[in-house]
Amino acid sequence: MKLLVTGGAGYVGSVCAAHLLEAGHEVVVLDDLSTGHRDAVPDGARFAEGNLADIAGTVLGEGGFEGVLHFAARSLVGESVTHPELYWENNVVVALRLLEAMREHAVPRIVFSSTAATYGEPEQVPILETSPTRPTNPYGASKLAIDMMLTSYAAAHGLAATSLRYFNVAGAHGRYGERHTVETHLIPIVLQVATGHRESVSVYGDDWPTPDGTCVRDYIHVDDLAEAHLLALTNATAGRHAIYNLGSGQGFSVKEVIEACRGVTGHPIPATTAPRRAGDPAVLIASSHAAAEALGWRPSRTDIRTIVGDAWRFTRDRLPV
Ligand code: UDP
């Protein structure tokens, strides 16, 4: 298929673009490089640099596109609380412009990068797609708004839409991995201690109602995530919006992740207890049964040491020699 990948210079977008190319698809990456990196656009993809709302119509106007994978977004929870306008503009308004450009140029399907943050504080774990959606920050709210937009476009305009709600994405695919200018995620931060770029890691609270007192998350390897996108593309149905959680279905605590990083890197990784971070739920674990049933998706890289090991190889290989 000829596919447009928005945000294909970012972490998940670049890995998915690489998988799509490896599967023989034709890929055009659209990215404004506000948080992505030009050298993360995989070889073999065509690159269009610019603001999505401005140029989506021009890019799709060349014709022949059979689908869009939409990754481009703002994704920092804290920033979304202090600057919600950035999230309503760059996530919601831009998605509307993209859907209108798709409609104008008769592009039939979209796979959208949604998030577990649409659920907010869960009433029960594992979290199902039918669980209540009560986002606790504008980031999650903006993604939920787009999910709702997709439901309405599928019903009214026959769009084939799939929202994939990611849990904690980690790991790397060869030279494509996670490198944010502002890093807030646990695994990259812990690995920065191992590379000597940080003294220690702060553990945000050790008095949570969990077995070892630290928060539990469902870490999913970015390669497993990418495979779900390919399956979603081929399983799309006109006029239907499908929503699937993507997680590995098991939880690891912050302490367990740090321990796995110690094992993989051989570094002692000093850790200190810090106050809880505002807005953190104690436990987030996905039920991915729906994706397994409907798409035949089976995550295969669920061992935390495999996930951390791939992230470590990516981090270490990028260090100046
Ligand atoms: N965390 C931590 N120290 C850090 C970064 C994160 O203790 O420096 C914890 C955080 O409180 C959460 C878990 O690690 O419980 C995963 O956080 P991350 O930001 O990676 O993902 P989130 O679950 O917030 O999407």
Side-chain angles (χ1 to χ4, degrees), residues 168 184-187 189 201-205 215-217 219 254 277 280-281 284:
N168 289 61
T184 62
H185 293 116
L186 179 64
I187 292 175
I189 284 177
V201 55
S202 298
V203 175
Y204 297 146
C215 288
V216 171
R217 294 289 181 273
Y219 294 88
V254 173
R277 186 170 68 177
D280 268 346
L284 287 178

Side-chain angles (χ1 to χ4, degrees), residues 23 59 77 93 123 135 260 276 303:
V59 174
V77 168
V93 174
E123 275 169 13
R276 290 181 175 191
D303 184 339

Side-chain angles (χ1 to χ4, degrees), residues 77-96:
V77 168
E79 180 187 64
S80 81
V81 175
T82 49
H83 292 292
E85 65 283 358
L86 295 176
Y87 287 73
W88 298 113
E89 175 70 37
N90 291 288
N91 293 1
V92 178
V93 174
V94 164
L96 179 61

